[in-house]
């Protein structure tokens, strides 16, 4: 990566083009320029066949300068640094501060290109590009320009696994304003890669992150909740709050079994086009935290929140029902919801 500083003192991280891609772009540009030069020369000689040799030589020199020197300068000026070869290779010529080039930059590059590319068959340009830390040839050095790559391969987006359904909405009252961005990033990186870690290492790492998160929120993590599941639930809660800010308030958003949470009161996990809480997204595109990874497979690793061997197994608290004295003998037990830590909506 090459760091360019703009006029507003903003550092830009741009990837400088190297010799192979630049050489391929130059070869494409030269092939196109020589093709145009030959076509124009044949047409002019056919039209000026009655002229003497001196006139034909002058026409040949003028055609050479116009097509092989003036053509690239005009193309780079009008396209802001993207010739035919650079367009095919995904390159662009920019100034040292990252801005678009102008006519003077293209003129200096074209004039130096006649010497270091056409005059020496590209030997000088290759040596200068290999010696330069940013792959610049002499024309770039004198013009104050740099050739950068516009098309950069994008890494596959990592999805944060959703928490277990019995933890959804449990941390709705948690204060997340004191959690720094660095800790959020560390938690997200752990959740996206916990399937690749050793179980013991991942368990200890989740414990440390859960302790740091609990210290920032001022609320101790529940003892009956595995650290990884606690982290996933808190991240899910933050994503739900961000979604509410972006898409507006949704009735029952984030409350299991409430209208708007999912079809028929479902949790919405694994349903394409659902955000955390089941709110549909236009177009049905998958959203991290509430939809499967593109390709059909769910993004929750098997046993992601299960403790490794030797660690205690955690289960959600299930209260036992005891009939009150006011109930008649033999009354059927009523359905008592499990203790989730939050009150259901009225």
């Amino acid at each position: 990566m090459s760091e360019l500083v703009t006029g507003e003192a903003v550092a830009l991280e741009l990837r400088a083009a190297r010799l192979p891609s630049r050489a391929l772009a130059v070869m494409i540009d030269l092939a196109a320029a020589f093709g145009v030069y030959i076509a124009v020369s044949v047409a002019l000689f056919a039209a000026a066949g009655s002229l003497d040799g001196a006139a034909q030589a002058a026409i040949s020199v003028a055609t050479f300068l116009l097509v092989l020197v003036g053509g690239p300068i005009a193309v780079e000026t009008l396209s802001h640094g993207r010739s035919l070869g650079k367009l095919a290779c995904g390159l662009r010529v920019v100034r040292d501060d990252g801005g678009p080039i102008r006519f003077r930059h293209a003129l200096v590059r074209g004039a130096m290109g006649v010497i270091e590319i056409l005059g020496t068959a590209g030997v000088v340009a290759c040596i200068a590009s290999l010696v330069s830390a940013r792959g610049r040839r002499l024309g770039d050095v004198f013009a104050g320009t740099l050739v950068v790559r516009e098309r950069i391969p994008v890494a596959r987006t990592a999805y944060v696994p959703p928490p277990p359904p019995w933890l959804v909405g449990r941390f709705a009252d948690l204060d997340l304003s004191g959690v720094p961005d660095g800790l959020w990033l560390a938690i997200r990186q752990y959740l996206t890669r916990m399937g690749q870690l050793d179980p013991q290492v991942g368990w200890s790492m989740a414990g440390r992150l859960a302790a740091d998160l609990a210290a920032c929120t001022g609320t101790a993590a529940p003892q009956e909740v595995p650290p990884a599941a606690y982290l996933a639930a808190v991240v899910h809660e933050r994503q739900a709050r961000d979604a509410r800010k972006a898409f507006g308030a949704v009735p029952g958003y984030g409350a299991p079994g409430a209208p708007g949470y999912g079809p028929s009161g479902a949790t919405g996990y694994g349903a394409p086009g659902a955000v955390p809480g089941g709110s549909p997204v236009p177009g049905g595109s998958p959203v991290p935290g509430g939809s499967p990874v593109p390709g059909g497979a769910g993004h929750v690793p098997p046993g992601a929140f299960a403790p490794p061997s030797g660690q205690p197994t955690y289960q959600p608290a299930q209260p036992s029902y005891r009939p009150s004295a006011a109930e008649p003998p033999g009354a059927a037990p009523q359905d008592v919801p499990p203790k989730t830590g939050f009150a259901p909506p009225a």
Side-chain angles (χ1 to χ4, degrees):
M1 301 293 286
S2 177
E3 185 175 285
L4 304 181
V5 181
T6 65
E8 292 78 14
V10 178
L12 301 178
E13 293 291 338
L14 299 177
R15 182 172 296 183
R18 295 302 176 183
L19 180 59
S21 58
R22 295 195 60 177
L24 180 59
V26 170
M27 291 173 60
I28 296 175
D29 290 337
L30 288 179
F34 273 110
V36 174
Y37 171 71
I38 292 174
V40 172
S41 300
V42 171
L44 290 178
F45 283 128
S50 59
L51 299 178
D52 55 1
Q56 292 182 357
I59 292 177
S60 178
V61 173
T63 304
F64 176 84
L65 294 176
L66 179 64
V67 176
L68 295 180
V69 180
I73 295 175
V75 170
E76 286 192 354
T77 302
L78 296 177
S79 64
H80 298 290
R82 298 187 71 184
S83 61
L84 181 62
K86 293 180 176 61
L87 181 63
C89 298
L91 308 180
R92 181 189 287 272
V93 183
V94 297
R95 301 197 306 262
D96 279 340
D97 60 354
I101 64 172
R102 298 181 180 179
F103 172 73
R104 60 185 181 90
H105 304 96
L107 179 61
V108 175
R109 281 175 48 84
M112 291 300 300
V114 175
I115 300 174
E116 59 177 336
I117 296 179
L118 298 179
T120 62
V123 175
V124 175
C126 291
I127 296 175
S129 181
L130 291 174
V131 172
S132 174
R134 296 191 289 181
R136 302 200 300 175
R137 62 179 179 89
L138 295 181
D140 295 317
V141 175
F142 286 106
T145 58
L146 175 68
V147 180
V148 297
R149 296 179 57 183
E150 285 190 317
R151 293 198 297 263
I152 299 176
V154 180
R156 185 177 179 179
T157 304
Y159 289 87
V160 177
W166 54 276
L167 282 179
V168 176
R170 180 169 179 175
F171 304 102
D173 298 331
L174 201 62
D175 183 14
L176 304 179
S177 59
V179 182
D181 293 337
L183 183 56
W184 284 124
L185 180 59
I187 295 174
R188 179 181 176 85
Q189 289 178 345
Y190 164 75
L191 292 175
T192 55
R193 301 175 182 176
M194 63 181 179
Q196 306 172 3
L197 301 176
D198 179 78
Q200 296 292 342
V201 175
W203 183 267
S204 61
M205 185 180 299
R208 291 195 300 267
L209 291 175
D212 294 341
L213 182 60
C216 294
T217 58
T219 304
Q223 296 295 328
E224 73 277 5
V225 179
Y230 169 72
L231 296 175
V234 176
V235 171
H236 173 271
E237 176 61 31
R238 187 198 180 193
Q239 291 177 345
R241 296 180 185 181
D242 293 341
R244 284 194 293 267
K245 292 179 182 179
F247 301 106
V250 179
Y253 188 89
Y261 184 74
S264 303
T267 60
Y269 291 115
V275 296
S279 177
V281 178
S285 59
V287 178
S291 65
V293 173
H299 59 279
V300 182
F305 302 118
S309 58
Q311 298 291 343
T313 302
Y314 295 92
Q315 297 292 339
Q318 299 289 343
S320 59
Y321 175 77
R322 295 181 179 178
S324 61
E327 295 181 353
Q334 300 178 1
D335 294 334
V336 178
K339 293 182 180 179
T340 56
F342 69 99

